Amino acid sequence: MKKINNTIWMLFLGLILTSCGEDIADVNKNPNSPEVVPTNTIFNSATKEFTDFSRSSFNNGRLVLNWMEYWGQNSYADEDRYLYRETSAESLYRNTYLVATDLKQIIDLNTDPETAGTASSVGANENQIAASRIMLAYMFHQLTNTFGDVPYYSYGTEDADFQALQIDEVLSPVFAPQEKIYADILKELRESADMINTSEPVFTTGDNIFNGDPVKWKKFANSLILRIATNLSEVDQATYESAASAAIADGVMESNADNAVQAYEASDATSSPWWSAFIARTDFAVAAPFVNLLKGETGDFGPDARLFEMAAPITVDIEDIKANSYERSEDYDDYEGVPYAFQNANDLPFTVYSFPSSKILTPDYGEVLMEYAEVEFLLSEFNDWSQDNYENGVRASMEKWGVDSAEIDAFVGSLPAASEETVLTQKYVALYMQAHQAYAEYRRTGFPDSDILFLPGESYTLPAVQAAETEDDTYTFDAGVEGATDLPARLKYPVILQTLNGENRAAAVSGLDNGDTIFSTLFWDVN
């Protein structure tokens, strides 16, 4: 079944517009494959595939991880300057639907009377359905935050605007309005959290996020509700307050033990996306704006010991980082970020900027989907910028990165008072390596502000160790897109949609305030 679905998507470049006739399906059946793939195997594959492509060097590293200035490129600066590749937009769009078909298949197998009994042998039917709905909600939330209106699928709602994944019935699905997608995602997550039977495993094997723990899946669903509802705080206060209140009452993440993390293994074949990327190339380093914030040179927080866990000293060779054989330094002068959007980055040797630490460049680095620290920052915002929740969030982030307890106490004790700016800037630090969500937060709030981020038209003076290597000791951020003065507000729809689903794409574009450009804002982006 999965092979058939993949064949369909490959034939039509993975865009959820086309059905496949029975004759084609018959041709593509492998007589040596099982008629029904075990649902835990499908789930195992689906969550890994989603994380693989969404956190890859192109769809993350050369896109939002750069735009949020966590990392920068050291070979060329086109994507830093918003000239992203069409293949990245197409991959994020196409592969989301490919994985969504797998998750829908799990739901179908658990609801079909002929297969539900077999499916239940690897986990309770209702829990498998709930976990699949939660992951679908997570994926569609990221997708709609990237493009705006998109074709959308709902398990629990029949709506004429929700036509995605109906590949046997709908040739060209409509693009559901983003406001309706948000409302339905919140409903899907609320129903999923309520659906989970906490006395039964979600999957007996194959769950590489929570190892089948139903309580953690329930907390994840509620925490996602809090995240997504908060995005509505400026446009639908009533929904924000009601959805967030219900999620908090039902139980959100309470410690780093509840973090949603896609696990990887310590072998190249099943390694994390970033390990795979750095095996082949060394195109990225930690960006100067982020390093300067953690060194205390910008912002109001002073030096932050998370720098020593997130980055490596400039004197360390990349091979030593990958081998985890270097001596860790706690001297802030040993760290420099690669200059962001610097078109002469090739002039600089590897020895004048910091690469990511070996905690990240390791084959079994776990990609975080959501963590407890973010929940505390969301709670701080919900509770009128609560100081306690703010401090809890900073402490949780520092503990997750392995900072010494004395360093944590000193840093938390010296934090400036909780405010919109301080809470959201610390949230930005905590979201390091979770750039898709950080990108949404920036568009919603405007934080971190321009005192921290380096924006088009601004100039930057290289530190002495870098200035000595190039004639350009000062340069200006020259955006590659005419008129860009800030981060893109969205990605443009993949060009191929103009051919494969042109009429519905055109209808979606007509609702954008600046057409199908990076300047069109999403409905919740009102900062």
Side-chain angles (χ1 to χ4, degrees):
M1 181 73 74
K2 182 175 177 183
K3 180 176 179 180
I4 298 170
N5 284 338
N6 284 346
T7 301
I8 295 169
W9 293 110
M10 289 175 66
L11 284 169
F12 292 94
L13 298 177
L15 301 172
I16 42 94
L17 340 156
T18 307
S19 64
C20 184
E22 287 299 319
D23 292 341
I24 296 177
D26 291 340
V27 167
N28 282 281
K29 282 185 178 179
N30 181 350
N32 298 316
S33 295
E35 284 295 316
V36 178
V37 179
T39 51
N40 58 340
T41 301
I42 301 172
F43 194 81
N44 181 331
S45 173
T47 62
K48 180 181 182 297
E49 286 175 11
F50 171 72
T51 315
D52 283 352
F53 79 76
S54 65
R55 302 293 177 90
S56 72
S57 61
F58 282 94
N59 304 337
N60 183 25
R62 292 183 174 87
L63 205 66
V64 290
L65 195 66
N66 274 20
W67 291 355
M68 291 308 301
E69 300 177 15
Y70 291 122
W71 288 10
Q73 295 187 87
N74 56 20
S75 298
Y76 47 88
D78 284 354
E79 283 94 351
D80 298 24
R81 300 167 52 238
Y82 314 144
L83 292 170
Y84 67 89
R85 305 180 192 210
E86 173 65 18
T87 52
S88 290
E90 184 177 315
S91 175
L92 284 169
Y93 190 97
R94 170 176 56 87
N95 286 313
T96 297
Y97 291 106
L98 271 170
V99 174
T101 60
D102 286 347
L103 294 168
K104 181 179 181 295
Q105 184 181 9
I106 295 171
I107 293 172
D108 292 343
L109 290 170
N110 277 279
T111 52
D112 186 336
E114 294 187 4
T115 55
T118 300
S120 67
S121 66
V122 294
N125 295 126
E126 65 268 31
N127 287 354
Q128 293 186 47
I129 294 168
S132 299
R133 293 172 77 180
I134 292 166
M135 287 306 301
L136 283 166
Y138 186 99
M139 290 161 47
F140 275 113
H141 180 238
Q142 181 173 295
L143 189 71
T144 191
N145 277 355
T146 302
F147 296 103
D149 297 354
V150 292
Y152 175 71
Y153 163 80
S154 173
Y155 166 73
T157 304
E158 292 187 8
D159 188 298
D161 285 334
F162 299 164
Q163 298 180 356
L165 309 187
Q166 300 178 41
I167 59 175
D168 294 323
E169 301 168 12
V170 180
L171 294 175
S172 300
V174 299
F175 286 53
Q178 193 181 30
E179 295 92 328
K180 291 183 71 170
I181 294 173
Y182 257 72
D184 194 74
I185 286 175
L186 288 173
K187 179 200 69 65
E188 283 289 287
L189 288 170
R190 178 72 273 138
E191 290 181 358
S192 297
D194 294 341
M195 186 181 200
I196 292 174
N197 178 352
T198 57
S199 65
E200 296 283 348
V202 175
F203 289 99
T204 54
T205 60
D207 173 7
N208 289 321
I209 298 174
F210 290 124
N211 198 29
D213 189 326
V215 174
K216 290 183 179 181
W217 275 104
K218 189 179 185 74
K219 289 180 180 179
F220 182 34
N222 282 315
S223 299
L224 284 175
I225 291 172
L226 183 58
R227 170 194 278 184
I228 294 165
T230 301
N231 243 35
L232 300 175
S233 60
E234 296 296 323
V235 294
D236 189 347
Q237 184 73 18
T239 295
Y240 165 49
E241 291 182 355
S242 62
S245 296
I248 295 166
D250 197 40
V252 293
M253 293 177 179
E254 299 175 284
S255 74
N256 282 322
D258 294 329
N259 293 351
V261 182
Q262 172 65 41
Y264 285 90
E265 297 178 329
S267 66
D268 291 350
T270 53
S271 63
S272 71
W274 278 116
W275 180 257
S276 299
F278 270 81
I279 286 175
R281 301 174 62 93
T282 309
D283 288 344
F284 305 93
V286 188
F290 190 63
V291 171
N292 294 341
L293 172 62
L294 295 183
K295 290 174 72 171
E297 296 176 358
T298 58
D300 300 317
F301 303 99
D304 185 336
R306 279 174 289 187
L307 176 62
F308 311 142
E309 315 304 328
M310 295 171 167
I314 60 175
T315 56
V316 176
D317 182 85
I318 186 64
E319 294 304 322
D320 290 333
I321 296 173
K322 290 193 286 187
N324 193 18
S325 61
Y326 66 95
E327 184 175 349
R328 181 176 169 278
S329 171
E330 294 189 2
D331 183 346
Y332 287 92
D333 290 338
D334 288 341
Y335 296 82
E336 294 289 353
V338 67
Y340 185 76
F342 183 42
Q343 296 184 65
N344 293 333
N346 275 318
D347 292 347
L348 303 177
F350 285 0
T351 54
V352 297
Y353 49 76
S354 294
F355 286 108
S357 74
S358 59
K359 286 190 173 181
I360 296 167
L361 296 186
T362 181
D364 59 352
Y365 173 72
E367 288 285 351
V368 178
L369 304 182
M370 190 172 188
E371 65 181 88
Y372 166 59
E374 181 190 347
V375 170
E376 286 289 355
F377 293 123
L378 290 166
L379 290 172
S380 177
E381 182 171 352
F382 184 77
N383 294 322
D384 297 320
W385 309 111
S386 157
Q387 182 76 20
D388 286 344
N389 293 127
Y390 162 54
E391 292 182 6
N392 289 344
V394 174
R395 184 176 294 277
S397 174
M398 299 185 86
E399 288 175 349
K400 187 197 82 169
W401 283 99
V403 176
D404 179 77
S405 60
E407 291 270 12
I408 296 174
D409 290 341
F411 187 79
V412 172
S414 65
L415 284 171
S419 66
E420 181 182 27
E421 179 177 2
T422 59
V423 172
L424 294 174
T425 302
Q426 280 300 311
K427 186 179 185 180
Y428 164 71
V429 176
L431 286 171
Y432 180 58
M433 303 307 296
Q434 300 170 63
H436 287 284
Q437 183 57 28
Y439 175 47
E441 288 291 336
Y442 177 77
R443 288 174 289 163
R444 178 178 74 90
T445 68
F447 290 104
D449 62 24
S450 59
D451 290 336
I452 294 170
L453 293 187
F454 183 45
L455 298 179
E458 296 179 347
S459 296
Y460 181 72
T461 299
L462 300 177
V465 69
Q466 295 174 359
E469 302 291 343
T470 178
E471 296 179 359
D472 303 310
D473 61 343
T474 299
Y475 71 99
T476 300
F477 184 170
D478 178 21
V481 179
E482 184 177 357
T485 58
D486 202 347
L487 273 66
R490 61 183 286 275
L491 268 65
K492 296 182 290 185
Y493 289 121
V495 171
I496 200 166
L497 283 175
Q498 296 178 29
T499 301
L500 296 181
N501 199 6
E503 183 176 348
N504 288 318
R505 174 201 165 274
V509 170
S510 69
L512 294 169
D513 54 11
N514 281 292
D516 191 14
T517 69
I518 65 168
F519 302 108
S520 286
T521 55
L522 306 183
F523 83 100
W524 46 260
D525 180 1
V526 296
N527 75 79

